[in-house]
């Protein structure tokens, strides 16, 4: 579904991504883990067209989207939930969701869009209660749900999630991960997930990539990576040296 | 202090004159408010102050005056508003659209350049003559009486049309798809793109909208204030003052700010030579920039939250 080959990208003259290649198959949940500043956000921004890559190639469903503008990429069915719970804070929950459906106006009927808003409310009942509240006044967890709901309103085939658990309490984090699994089961949604919360992310995903200073260092099935010693030491917080003393 | 008592005393003696000043203040106030809203619309979507805003007002009224020679007034006004909107669109497409992440300063300098060019072109076309559209109903001397106070029917036109514009814009931004998309663009440009909104088109739309309201405002005041190729300059300064007064970006505050400035100016004529009128606007703007940079009605937190 998504195929990235030898992408290089950065800001100004600073190169952040160095020959990154990865792929996501239809129906998969794929995780990218990596330390702060490794280039995870940069990678997702490049895929969604917010950042022009210097070289390399990105293909989505066989179509080359390396130089395609963001709006068009969303229209093709690839939506990003950006880092840091970004909602339109001066607008209501409902308006946020309507805006998520922008690419469907003129394509889908209004009733379908209204029905999908109801569906989002079923999925996240907490948003339903706050329909007319300004998004800026929601709690962090609710804002994250709204950001995800807004991206879902575009009816994407591939959802890119940038650290959905950042800064949220453990119970909410768990809830968010449950939603991700549910979305795959119910909609057959394909997900590319960036996470610092490596353990939970590896648990819900099929495959994973480890990115370090802009390079893919490791890739494999999530179970396998969970058993990998380097991964355990660096990202799962297990102090192996002490364990074996 | 004695001065204030003087004015109050004068007012009581001269209630008719008092309302005349209020009416004049309100007329100008609404125009300032519309120019300020024009500033706000573009500021909200792009983060820049469009210093050619006053030129939209000038183009609207001058074009209508020329067209009025060949066609009925209402048609001339509609056409001139459409032409000015087209100018707004062309301006954005030629000078801003293709810029890759331009700095705010660069864009503002472009708008200053454009305002000078438009004024020069207007001078070449229309010369320095002072012109005016005819009164929409009646003429200079006709008046409507309200409880013994006589005001020109044109004042009612100004107040009526400007109010309709203000309310119409609120409705547009709240209930219409493109209005909502423009607000999204103002709130967070990048996330707006991630929703599939074509933000470049929204910027063009914001220029078109500002040009349109500016032009219409220019037409309704033309019978009272007259029109000339350089009428945009003071209007831009006043409108900018009002936009700042209200806390940049907020329409309702712009209306309040506009009325305040209009009425202040109008009463200033009572105590000072009218040549000082413009100085009042500038002094108010400077005072506000010193003491309340977020505007009279704006709070600091809101300053960062842009709303129409
Ligand atoms: N707008 C920018 N301008 C310049 N450099 C940037 C910009 N954004 C990110 N960088 C740099 O690019 C590198 C990678 O940043 P990126 O945000 O992709 O990391 P990340 O893996 O998402 O980190 P985190 O886990 O903290 O979100 C960092 O060194 C950062 O300083
Ligand atoms: Mg990041």
């Amino acid at each position: 579904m998504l195929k990235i080959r030898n992408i290089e990208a950065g800001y100004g003259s600073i190169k952040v991504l160095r020959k990154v290649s990865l792929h996501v198959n239809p129906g998969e949940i794929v995780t990218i883990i990596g330390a702060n500043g490794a280039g995870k956000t940069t990678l997702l921004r490049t895929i969604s067209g917010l950042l022009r890559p210097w070289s390399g190639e990105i293909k989505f469903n066989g179509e080359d989207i390396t130089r395609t503008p963001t709006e068009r990429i969303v229209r093709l069915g690839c939506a990003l939930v950006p880092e840091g719970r970004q909602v339109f804070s001066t607008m209501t929950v409902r308006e946020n969701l309507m805006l998520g459906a922008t690419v469907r106006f003129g394509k889908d009927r209004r009733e379908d869009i209204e029905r999908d808003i109801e569906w989002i409310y079923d999925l996240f009942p907490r948003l339903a209660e706050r329909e007319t509240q300004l998004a800026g006044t929601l709690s962090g967890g609710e804002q994250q749900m709204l950001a995800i709901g807004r991206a879902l309103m575009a009816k994407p085939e591939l959802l890119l999630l940038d650290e959905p658990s950042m800064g949220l309490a453990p119970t909410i984090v768990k809830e968010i991960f449950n939603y991700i699994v549910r979305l795959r089961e119910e909609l057959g949604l394909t997900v590319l997930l960036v996470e610092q919360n490596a353990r939970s992310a590896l648990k819900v995903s099929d495959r994973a990539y480890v990115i370090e200073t802009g390079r893919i260092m490791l890739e494999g099935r999530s179970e396998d990576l969970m058993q990998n010693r380097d991964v355990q030491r660096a990202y799962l917080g297990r102090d192996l040296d002490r364990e074996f003393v | 202090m004695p001065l204030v008592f003087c004015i109050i005393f004068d007012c009581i003696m001269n209630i008719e004159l008092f309302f005349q000043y209020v009416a004049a203040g309100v007329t100008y106030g609404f125009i300032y408010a519309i120019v300020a809203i024009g500033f706000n619309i573009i500021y909200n979507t792009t983060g820049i102050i469009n210093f050619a805003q006053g030129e939209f007002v000038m183009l609207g009224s001058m074009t209508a005056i020329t067209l009025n020679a060949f066609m009925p007034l209402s048609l001339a006004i509609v056409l001139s508003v459409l032409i000015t909107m087209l100018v707004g669109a062309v301006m954005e497409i030629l000078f801003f659209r293709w810029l890759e992440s331009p700095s705010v300063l660069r864009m503002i300098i472009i708008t200053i350049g454009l305002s000078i060019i438009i004024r020069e072109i207007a001078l070449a076309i229309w010369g320095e003559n002072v012109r005016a559209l005819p009164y929409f109903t009646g003429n200079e001397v006709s008046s409507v009486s309200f409880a013994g106070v006589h005001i020109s029917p044109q004042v009612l036109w100004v107040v009526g049309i400007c109010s309709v514009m203000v309310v119409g814009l609120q409705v547009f931004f709240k209930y219409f798809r493109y209005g909502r998309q423009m607000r999204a663009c103002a709130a967070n440009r990048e996330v707006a793109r991630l929703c599939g909104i074509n933000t470049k088109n929204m910027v063009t739309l914001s220029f078109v909208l500002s040009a349109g309201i500016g032009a219409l405002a220019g037409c309704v005041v033309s019978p009272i204030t007259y029109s000339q190729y350089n009428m945009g300059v003071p209007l831009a300064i006043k409108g900018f003052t009002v936009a700042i007064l209200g806390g940049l970006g907020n329409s309702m505050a712009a209306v309040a700010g506009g009325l305040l400035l209009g009425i202040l100016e109008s009463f200033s004529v009572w105590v000072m030579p009218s040549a000082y009128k413009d100085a009042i606007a500038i002094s108010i703007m400077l005072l506000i920039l010193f003491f309340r940079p977020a505007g009279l009605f704006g709070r600091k937190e809101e300053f960062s939250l842009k709303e129409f």
Side-chain angles (χ1 to χ4, degrees):
Chain A
M1 171 165 278
L2 181 72
K3 222 178 173 80
I4 298 175
R5 272 194 23 219
N6 291 332
I7 278 294
E8 298 208 294
Y11 306 91
S13 59
I14 307 162
K15 191 188 277 185
V16 176
L17 299 179
R18 296 152 201 273
K19 299 234 177 275
V20 171
S21 299
L22 61 81
H23 67 276
V24 181
N25 298 317
E28 267 188 326
I29 298 180
V30 174
T31 298
I32 299 175
I33 52 180
N36 289 109
K40 307 179 296 294
T41 298
T42 307
L43 178 59
L44 290 194
R45 287 170 58 84
T46 311
I47 296 172
S48 48
L50 292 172
L51 196 68
R52 281 270 167 86
W54 298 354
S55 64
E57 188 188 45
I58 307 172
K59 277 190 166 170
F60 180 64
N61 283 335
E63 187 171 335
D64 187 351
I65 57 163
T66 320
R67 304 243 172 307
T68 310
T70 306
E71 303 87 75
R72 179 119 186 87
I73 292 175
V74 180
R75 225 163 265 271
L76 291 173
C78 171
L80 168 67
V81 180
E83 189 172 18
R85 309 197 281 269
Q86 299 199 42
V87 292
F88 297 117
S89 46
T90 51
M91 304 174 86
T92 65
V93 168
R94 194 187 167 77
E95 283 176 322
N96 269 270
L97 292 176
M98 285 296 271
L99 282 162
T102 300
V103 295
R104 294 168 58 197
F105 282 107
K107 206 162 61 180
D108 291 3
R109 284 174 311 147
R110 220 193 149 78
E111 299 91 86
D112 292 339
I113 294 171
E114 295 285 341
R115 211 191 46 228
D116 283 343
I117 289 188
E118 292 307 317
W119 174 75
I120 298 280
Y121 287 157
D122 284 344
L123 188 66
F124 304 114
R126 296 213 230 164
L127 294 183
E129 296 159 25
R130 295 170 173 77
E131 186 172 21
T132 55
Q133 198 172 322
L134 291 185
T137 63
L138 296 177
S139 77
E142 289 156 3
Q143 288 187 358
Q144 189 58 268
M145 289 173 197
L146 180 57
I148 296 175
R150 189 184 55 205
L152 290 176
M153 283 302 293
K155 282 219 165 158
E157 290 173 53
L158 172 63
L159 188 66
L160 310 175
L161 285 165
D162 197 347
E163 297 200 36
S165 74
M166 188 166 71
L168 299 180
T171 50
I172 310 276
V173 172
K174 215 169 177 182
E175 210 176 318
I176 298 261
F177 279 109
N178 285 339
Y179 281 126
I180 295 170
V181 176
R182 244 181 95 185
L183 287 171
R184 193 243 305 255
E185 281 164 5
E186 286 180 18
L187 298 179
L189 194 68
T190 310
V191 179
L192 180 58
L193 175 66
V194 158
E195 262 302 335
Q196 297 253 358
N197 202 325
R199 192 183 303 276
S200 314
L202 288 175
K203 245 184 239 158
V204 300
S205 61
D206 306 310
R207 285 192 305 118
Y209 292 86
V210 177
I211 184 169
E212 261 170 44
T213 54
R215 284 198 185 80
I216 301 280
M217 300 304 282
L218 270 175
E219 62 171 292
R221 298 195 316 141
S222 298
E223 301 99 282
D224 297 345
L225 286 185
M226 262 203 273
Q227 302 308 320
N228 182 303
R229 284 212 163 192
D230 294 330
V231 173
Q232 288 185 343
R233 185 173 304 136
Y235 303 106
L236 300 177
R238 266 177 73 181
D239 200 336
L240 295 171
D241 297 336
R242 200 178 303 153
E243 261 175 53
F244 288 107
V245 166
Chain B
M1 260 309 129
L3 190 66
V4 175
F5 286 123
C6 242
I7 295 175
I8 294 171
F9 183 71
D10 256 16
C11 289
I12 296 165
M13 297 307 291
N14 220 332
I15 200 82
E16 164 108 354
L17 198 58
F18 176 81
F19 280 110
Q20 227 103 71
Y21 278 113
V22 171
V26 168
T27 311
Y28 278 91
F30 265 106
I31 300 308
Y32 299 157
I34 294 293
V35 176
I37 291 173
F39 276 121
N40 285 343
I41 291 174
I42 292 180
Y43 174 76
N44 277 342
T45 47
T46 62
I48 65 167
I49 301 293
N50 167 33
F51 280 98
Q53 189 63 38
E55 270 56 51
F56 290 147
V57 180
M58 179 272 292
L59 276 181
S61 66
M62 295 301 271
T63 312
I65 292 165
T66 304
L67 290 176
N68 192 34
F70 311 103
M71 58 187 80
L73 182 63
S74 52
L75 191 60
I77 291 176
V78 170
L79 257 184
S80 92
V81 168
L82 290 178
I83 290 171
T84 313
M85 285 167 123
L86 191 68
V87 171
V90 169
M91 184 167 137
E92 198 279 328
I93 291 167
L94 283 185
F95 295 94
F96 297 97
R97 199 181 181 87
W98 54 273
L99 298 176
E100 282 272 340
S101 56
S103 72
V104 165
L105 188 61
R106 182 167 162 203
M107 292 196 286
I108 290 180
I109 289 172
I110 294 177
T111 69
I112 294 176
L114 282 170
S115 81
I116 296 171
I117 293 172
I118 295 176
R119 224 175 304 144
E120 288 304 317
I121 294 175
L123 178 62
I125 298 176
W126 289 295
E128 290 189 9
N129 297 350
V130 178
R131 299 148 196 254
L133 274 179
Y135 277 68
F136 290 10
T137 43
N139 53 37
E140 302 91 283
V141 292
S142 51
S143 67
V144 193
S145 300
F146 267 124
V149 182
H150 301 287
I151 48 174
S152 157
Q154 193 64 28
V155 168
L156 298 183
W157 276 107
V158 173
V159 173
I161 289 184
C162 290
S163 314
V164 168
M165 273 197 273
V166 171
V167 174
L169 282 172
Q170 293 296 318
V171 171
F172 171 73
F173 284 126
K174 192 131 186 71
Y175 299 108
F176 283 73
R177 199 204 312 171
Y178 288 116
R180 250 195 323 248
Q181 291 186 10
M182 280 178 73
R183 279 167 65 207
C185 203
N188 189 331
R189 181 89 86 100
E190 204 158 78
V191 179
R193 296 187 64 193
L194 289 171
C195 286
I197 295 167
N198 188 330
T199 49
K200 294 203 159 166
N201 286 352
M202 291 304 127
V203 173
T204 311
L205 184 60
S206 73
F207 272 78
V208 169
L209 215 55
S210 303
I213 61 171
L216 186 54
C219 292
V220 281
V221 279
S222 175
I224 304 179
T225 65
Y226 305 124
S227 310
Q228 201 184 358
Y229 79 99
N230 60 2
M231 71 186 281
V233 183
L235 281 178
I237 295 173
K238 308 285 175 60
F240 184 51
T241 308
V242 166
I244 299 232
L245 196 69
L248 262 177
N250 184 334
S251 293
M252 283 337 235
V255 174
L259 292 178
L260 187 65
L261 181 63
I263 289 173
L264 267 179
E265 264 189 10
S266 152
F267 277 97
S268 75
V269 178
W270 209 317
V271 286
M272 280 188 277
S274 63
Y276 290 112
K277 236 169 96 171
D278 292 351
I280 294 206
I282 308 277
S283 323
I284 290 177
M285 178 162 75
L286 289 179
L287 284 176
I288 288 169
L289 285 176
F290 277 131
F291 296 110
R292 297 209 50 139
L296 270 194
F297 307 105
R299 272 178 296 142
K300 279 227 177 57
E301 315 85 76
E302 275 173 5
F303 198 38
S304 51
L305 292 181
K306 289 179 267 174
E307 252 308 337
F308 287 92

